[in-house]
């Protein structure tokens, strides 16, 4: 199975400051169709997860543009340009290229 | 409005069975890749199973192969997860998910305990 490794696992951030989460995969996530199926999810406390970014860098509808995704191959990053209070929660990367699909361990973002 | 609503969760003894249902609205289940993802209490997300749009094949994580079956009813626009031989470690909230995580249900809690 493809192992997804996120860092850091805990991310205290001051309001208005940037934040960055790394996600590394144990195998390349480039699919045979040329796409890279790497998604980012946000799970606020007590809520279902919500997809923020799909295929590395594409925003889902309604996602603020302060969120951005980048990367290629095995190395990916989610960045928040200016953290707001509503961004508190756990962030997960997930690969959908290989079966079984796998998630990272999650990164807990909190306000300092 | 695009929505997924799970039902069928509850308390079951080890070795027992349970069937989760997921009713979809605002889109057609049979046109989409549909999955189940679970989250054990206080833990992270774990992908469980996916059904292809043509319904011909299901993909499963090794820990549930042979015990869980993903299926759908096109007439009811619903997805199902039949869970047999349940274990204590299957205790989790089970989410119904559309197309690589684009839409999630609210989740159904399954507790396996004697």
């Amino acid at each position: 199975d493809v192992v997804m490794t996120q860092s850091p696992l805990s991310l205290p951030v001051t309001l208005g400051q940037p934040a960055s989460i790394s996600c590394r995969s144990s195998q390349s996530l480039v699919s045979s169709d040329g796409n890279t199926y790497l998604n980012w999810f946000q799970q606020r406390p007590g809520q279902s997860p919500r997809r923020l970014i799909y295929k590395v860098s594409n925003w889902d509808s309604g996602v603020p543009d302060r969120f951005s995704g980048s990367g290629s191959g095995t190395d990916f990053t989610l960045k928040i340009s200016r953290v707001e209070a509503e961004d508190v929660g756990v962030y997960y990367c997930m690969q959908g290229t290989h079966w079984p699909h796998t998630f990272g361990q999650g990164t807990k973002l909190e306000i300092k | 409005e695009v929505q997924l609503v799970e039902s069928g969760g509850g308390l079951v003894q080890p070795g027992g069975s349970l069937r989760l249902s997921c009713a979809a609205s605002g889109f057609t289940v049979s046109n989409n890749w549909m999955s189940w993802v679970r989250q054990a209490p206080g833990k992270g997300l774990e992908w469980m199973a996916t059904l292809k749009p043509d319904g011909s094949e299901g993909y499963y994580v090794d820990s549930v192969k042979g015990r869980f079956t993903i299926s759908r009813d096109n007439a009811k626009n619903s997805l199902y997860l039949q869970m047999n031989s349940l274990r204590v470690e299957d205790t989790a909230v089970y989410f119904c998910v559309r197309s690589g995580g684009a839409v999630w249900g609210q989740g159904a809690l399954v507790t396996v305990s004697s």
Side-chain angles (χ1 to χ4, degrees):
Chain A
D1 297 359
V2 176
V3 177
M4 305 297 288
T5 303
Q6 288 182 228
S7 62
L9 300 184
S10 178
L11 185 55
V13 185
T14 301
L15 286 173
Q17 293 300 302
S20 179
I21 300 170
S22 170
C23 175
R24 289 193 169 93
S25 59
S26 60
Q27 298 177 34
S28 172
L29 299 186
V30 180
S31 175
S32 56
D33 64 8
N35 289 307
T36 300
Y37 295 98
L38 186 285
N39 302 333
W40 288 97
F41 297 89
Q42 174 196 61
Q43 187 174 30
R44 291 171 172 152
Q47 295 187 11
S48 299
R50 166 200 183 194
R51 196 174 69 181
L52 301 174
I53 302 285
Y54 64 97
K55 288 195 283 187
V56 181
S57 59
N58 297 277
W59 284 284
D60 273 280
S61 176
V63 174
D65 61 6
R66 63 177 184 276
F67 290 92
S68 64
S70 63
S72 63
T74 62
D75 200 348
F76 305 92
T77 303
L78 176 71
K79 291 183 178 177
I80 309 173
S81 59
R82 294 172 307 280
V83 169
E84 298 187 5
E86 66 178 18
D87 299 336
V88 165
V90 181
Y91 292 79
Y92 297 92
C93 60
M94 187 210 85
Q95 67 83 19
T97 298
H98 304 282
W99 300 105
H101 296 172
T102 45
F103 289 90
Q105 318 96 299
T107 294
K108 187 173 184 178
L109 186 150
E110 61 179 24
I111 304 300
K112 241 189 248 182
Chain B
E1 181 191 3
V2 174
Q3 196 173 9
L4 294 167
V5 178
E6 299 94 337
S7 59
L11 175 64
V12 61
Q13 291 190 336
S17 297
L18 209 58
R19 189 177 86 149
L20 299 181
S21 300
C22 170
S25 56
F27 72 99
T28 302
V29 164
S30 59
N31 291 341
N32 287 268
W33 292 78
M34 297 294 298
S35 301
W36 289 95
V37 173
R38 73 182 178 186
Q39 186 169 37
K43 302 296 184 183
L45 301 171
E46 181 183 24
W47 173 84
M48 289 281 92
T50 294
L51 187 62
K52 292 176 66 173
D54 65 10
S56 64
E57 190 171 4
Y59 299 87
Y60 300 90
V61 68
D62 281 351
S63 61
V64 306
K65 271 182 193 172
R67 300 190 300 126
F68 290 12
T69 303
I70 187 171
S71 64
R72 70 175 188 229
D73 183 328
N74 293 343
K76 294 183 178 179
N77 204 32
S78 293
L79 184 73
Y80 303 98
L81 186 68
Q82 177 67 42
M83 303 184 291
N84 299 330
S85 303
L86 281 161
R87 305 167 180 168
V88 170
E89 55 265 33
D90 294 320
T91 294
V93 174
Y94 286 74
F95 296 99
C96 174
V97 181
R98 173 193 177 191
S99 296
V103 181
W104 294 64
Q106 85 287 354
L109 175 62
V110 173
T111 303
V112 185
S113 174
S114 53

